[in-house]
């Protein structure tokens, strides 16, 4: 058989999909019959043979009826009353109720229904139909899953000139929105076309901000009002306090006057629990804590100078770079300073110096985050320099009861898990998020995740502890979903964690007492050694003077006796 068609193709075209087209049929090979081979075959007559090359297929169509759906509301009101009885009149309803209860039919109906109800109650009490027989096995199976996290969303600063995502705040209603404060913390950043706006993002639309918060100065911190979800509190880079009503747009409702505001950037602004839900307080690196009421932002209602010498002098004040307040302790709050100290303040004290209750020292650098435990109010977390430390208010004179290892990069933020008492998060300057579970690992984090190549400066988990937001230096907010093992409360975990903290607090107290004892002993030894090293001549003179004084006293005594 000769080749009738030669197919050629370029080397670069190999691997491309073939392009077929319809062409008429043509005969390429014709093999005529050979008569000499006919004697080897036996002819068959008749011959009937069918051949079908295409598969047999069937086509079915179904058309369903469209259901018309309508939304209707139902208003439930109190019913069952006769027409002459107004259910809104308590006197008429109580009088009619007494008349019905005196009837014999009512008594018989209650007796009959009471017997049936008692039978049903006994049946329900016989066995617990909701009892979980294998709950412990399910927990053990869940523990086998290794800790992990995955990225579910990324929110990017829409401006061409990128700024730092300095603070995050979740919407109190099911965390459906996230408020992000954008601000450049570099001193005298004079980049052109830099924006001062911050944004509120909707989790269902991560590509465009839901609302733009506009102001003449960039916002360092933002916080939703837990009592009134539409109010948003902000602390500005120029020291002013501002609040928005999201129902009325992105323009601020009111701003504090510059001359009565902070002198430095506001690194902490928190709402206070009150009847009106309008009170708040703020802290800044100018060394002041100011209390405000958004109904009257013309001046602060109260002022506290963070002077640990208790002289109430602004020149001696420590700059506040982090602030924490817990609803469980409404009169106390914690302030992390630039100098590495943590100040425990009590607002109910009578005088300003008494408001500074305790000072905890342990960090070398600035305390970038301080947070009370949501399960144990007397235990709090601090993040600064290269470590994260856990403190107890009961150990006033001792150091932290627990701490992480020293990392190579700086730690820039940290927070507790809202659902697990021994779990907390830390953010590092190399873009890594560490998840610590001190019940299982105290030397290394349970999960270390590289979130970004830029430093992480802000963290905030949702109330369910499943999703955590991480803000970077270039304004990118990454939302991470952590595995169930790190956000599911285990059996007896609260009591075990409480026992661990109490044990570490006692251990630290014993070590502190031992150290004090050693210091006193060292001082006594040093004093004794100093006395031993005195000049021999001086010792001899002192001994001689003592000897002659004793002789003189004895002579006088004998002379008095003889006389």
């Amino acid at each position: 058989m000769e080749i009738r068609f030669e197919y050629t193709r370029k080397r670069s075209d190999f691997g491309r999909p073939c392009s077929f087209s319809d062409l008429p049929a043509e005969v390429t090979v014709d093999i005529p019959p050979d008569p000499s081979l006919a004697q080897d075959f036996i002819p068959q007559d008749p011959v009937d043979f069918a051949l079908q090359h295409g598969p047999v297929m069937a086509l079915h169509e179904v058309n369903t009826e469209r259901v018309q759906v309508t939304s209707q509301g139902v208003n439930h009101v109190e019913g069952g009353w006769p027409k002459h009885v107004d259910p809104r009149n308590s006197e008429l309803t109580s009088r009619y109720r007494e008349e019905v209860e005196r009837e014999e039919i009512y008594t018989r109906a209650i007796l009959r229904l009471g017997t049936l109800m008692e039978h049903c109650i006994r049946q329900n009490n016989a066995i617990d139909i909701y009892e979980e027989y294998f709950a412990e096995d399910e927990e053990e199976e869940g523990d086998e899953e290794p800790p992990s996290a995955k990225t579910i969303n990324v929110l990017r600063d829409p401006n061409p000139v990128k700024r730092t995502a300095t603070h995050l705040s979740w919407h109190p209603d099911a965390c459906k929105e996230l408020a992000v404060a954008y601000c450049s913390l570099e001193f005298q950043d004079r980049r052109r076309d830099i924006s001062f706006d911050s944004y509120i993002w909707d989790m269902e639309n991560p590509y465009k901000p839901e609302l733009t918060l506009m102001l003449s100065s960039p916002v360092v911190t933002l916080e939703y009002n837990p009592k009134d979800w539409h109010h948003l509190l902000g602390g500005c880079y120029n020291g002013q306090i501002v609040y928005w009503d999201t129902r009325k747009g992105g323009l601020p409702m009111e701003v504090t006057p510059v001359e009565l505001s902070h002198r430095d950037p506001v690194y902490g602004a928190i709402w206070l629990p009150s009847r009106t839900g309008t009170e708040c307080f703020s802290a800044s690196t100018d060394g002041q804590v100011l209390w405000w009421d958004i109904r009257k932002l013309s001046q602060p209602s109260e002022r506290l100078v963070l002077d640990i010498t208790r002289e109430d002098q602004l020149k001696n004040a420590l700059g506040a770079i982090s602030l924490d307040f817990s609803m469980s302790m409404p009169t106390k709050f914690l302030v992390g300073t630039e100098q590495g100290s943590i100040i425990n303040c009590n607002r109910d004290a009578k005088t300003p110096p008494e408001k500074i209750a305790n000072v905890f020292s342990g960090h070398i650098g600035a305390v970038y985050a301080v947070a009370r435990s949501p399960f144990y109010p007397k235990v709090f977390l601090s993040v600064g320099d290269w470590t994260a430390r856990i403190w107890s208010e009961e150990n006033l004179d001792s150091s932290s009861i627990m701490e992480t290892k020293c990392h190579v990069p700086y730690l820039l933020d940290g927070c507790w898990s809202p659902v697990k008492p021994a779990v907390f998060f830390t953010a590092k300057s190399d873009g890594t998020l560490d998840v610590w579970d001190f019940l299982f690992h105290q030397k290394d984090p349970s999960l270390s995740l590289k979130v970004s190549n830029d430093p992480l400066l802000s963290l905030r988990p949702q109330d369910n502890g499943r999703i955590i937001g991480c803000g970077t230096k270039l304004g990118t907010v990454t939302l991470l979903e952590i595995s169930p093992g790190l956000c599911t409360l285990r059996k007896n975990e609260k009591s075990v964690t409480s026992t661990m903290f109490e044990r570490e607090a006692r251990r630290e107290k014993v070590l502190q007492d031992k150290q004090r004892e050693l210091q006193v002993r060292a001082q006594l030894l040093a004093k004794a050694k100093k006395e031993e090293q005195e000049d021999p001549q001086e010792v001899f003179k002192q001994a001689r003077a003592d000897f002659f004084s004793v002789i003189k006293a004895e002579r006088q005594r004998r002379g008095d006796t003889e006389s």
Side-chain angles (χ1 to χ4, degrees), residues 105-269:
I105 300 175
Y106 175 79
T107 305
R108 289 199 302 267
I110 291 297
L111 292 175
R112 180 176 59 84
L113 296 175
T115 305
L116 296 175
M117 183 62 65
E118 183 180 2
H119 175 69
C120 295
I121 291 174
R122 289 183 176 180
Q123 280 186 336
N124 290 337
N125 294 336
I127 185 172
D128 185 8
I129 62 175
Y130 299 105
E131 183 179 359
E132 296 183 4
Y133 296 96
F134 307 102
E136 297 181 358
D137 297 340
E138 292 179 358
E139 290 182 0
E140 292 177 359
E141 292 177 0
D143 294 343
E144 296 177 359
E145 181 183 355
S148 61
K150 61 180 181 180
T151 302
I152 60 173
N153 229 332
V154 178
L155 310 176
R156 304 183 187 278
D157 185 3
N159 294 282
V161 180
K162 303 303 178 184
R163 303 157 298 160
T164 302
T166 55
H167 194 81
L168 311 178
S169 179
W170 290 98
H171 194 282
D173 184 16
C175 300
K176 59 184 180 181
E177 293 179 353
L178 178 64
V180 182
Y182 293 93
C183 176
S184 175
L185 298 179
E186 297 181 4
F187 182 65
Q188 292 184 349
D189 187 0
R190 297 182 178 179
R191 289 179 293 175
R192 297 183 60 184
D193 301 330
I194 188 169
S195 175
F196 294 163
D197 299 340
S198 293
Y199 304 101
I200 297 177
W201 299 85
D202 189 350
M203 295 301 98
E204 297 180 357
N205 183 19
Y207 304 104
K208 184 179 179 182
E210 182 73 13
L211 182 64
T212 302
L213 304 176
M214 293 173 285
L215 201 64
S216 59
S217 176
V219 179
V220 182
T221 179
L222 280 175
E223 201 69 44
Y224 272 106
N225 190 341
K227 195 169 184 178
D228 189 349
W229 303 338
H230 303 289
H231 285 172
L232 198 63
L233 181 68
C236 300
Y237 190 78
N238 64 353
Q240 291 180 295
I241 301 297
V242 61
Y243 88 96
W244 291 268
D245 190 338
T246 56
R247 295 168 295 186
K248 299 181 180 180
L251 294 176
M253 300 297 296
E254 193 173 353
V255 183
T256 59
V258 176
E259 61 273 10
L260 296 177
S261 303
H262 292 282
R263 303 177 182 179
D264 287 346
V266 180
Y267 284 95

Side-chain angles (χ1 to χ4, degrees), residues 440-541:
F440 295 93
H441 303 285
Q442 297 181 7
K443 294 184 178 179
D444 296 303
S446 300
L447 176 63
S448 185
L449 185 65
K450 182 72 172 178
V451 179
S452 172
N453 293 326
D454 303 314
L456 297 181
L457 276 86
S458 54
L459 292 177
R460 181 62 72 91
Q462 288 186 354
D463 294 337
N464 58 7
R466 191 68 183 271
I467 298 176
I468 180 169
C470 310
T472 66
K473 187 176 181 180
L474 294 184
T476 302
V477 179
T478 304
L479 303 181
L480 300 173
E481 182 179 3
I482 60 178
S483 57
L486 294 173
C487 59
T488 304
L489 188 64
R490 300 182 182 88
K491 188 177 181 181
N492 300 327
E493 187 172 355
K494 288 185 180 179
S495 58
V496 174
T497 306
S498 176
T499 304
M500 178 185 67
F501 286 152
E502 292 174 358
R503 181 189 70 240
E504 295 298 327
R506 289 195 301 268
R507 180 186 64 83
E508 188 63 32
K509 192 173 183 180
V510 170
L511 292 176
Q512 192 72 15
D513 294 341
K514 186 67 175 177
Q515 185 178 3
R516 289 178 182 174
E517 183 181 349
L518 293 176
Q519 290 178 355
V520 172
R521 187 178 300 176
Q523 291 176 359
L524 294 176
L525 291 175
K527 185 177 181 181
K529 189 175 180 180
K530 184 178 180 181
E531 292 177 354
E532 292 177 358
Q533 293 178 353
E534 291 182 356
D535 189 6
Q537 295 294 333
E538 296 293 333
V539 175
F540 175 75
K541 290 181 181 180

Side-chain angles (χ1 to χ4, degrees), residues 331-386:
T331 62
K332 293 185 176 182
F333 59 93
L334 296 170
V335 180
T337 65
E338 292 179 306
Q339 291 76 15
S341 302
I342 303 167
I343 304 176
N344 184 18
C345 304
N346 187 0
R347 187 185 180 187
D348 282 354
K350 296 181 180 179
T351 60
E354 293 178 355
K355 292 183 179 181
I356 300 178
N358 310 105
V359 179
F360 300 89
S361 301
H363 288 283
I364 302 174
V367 181
Y368 290 108
V370 59
R372 287 191 185 273
S373 170
F375 297 91
Y376 317 106
K378 292 186 178 181
V379 176
F380 60 92
L381 170 73
S382 66
V383 174
D385 48 61
W386 302 275

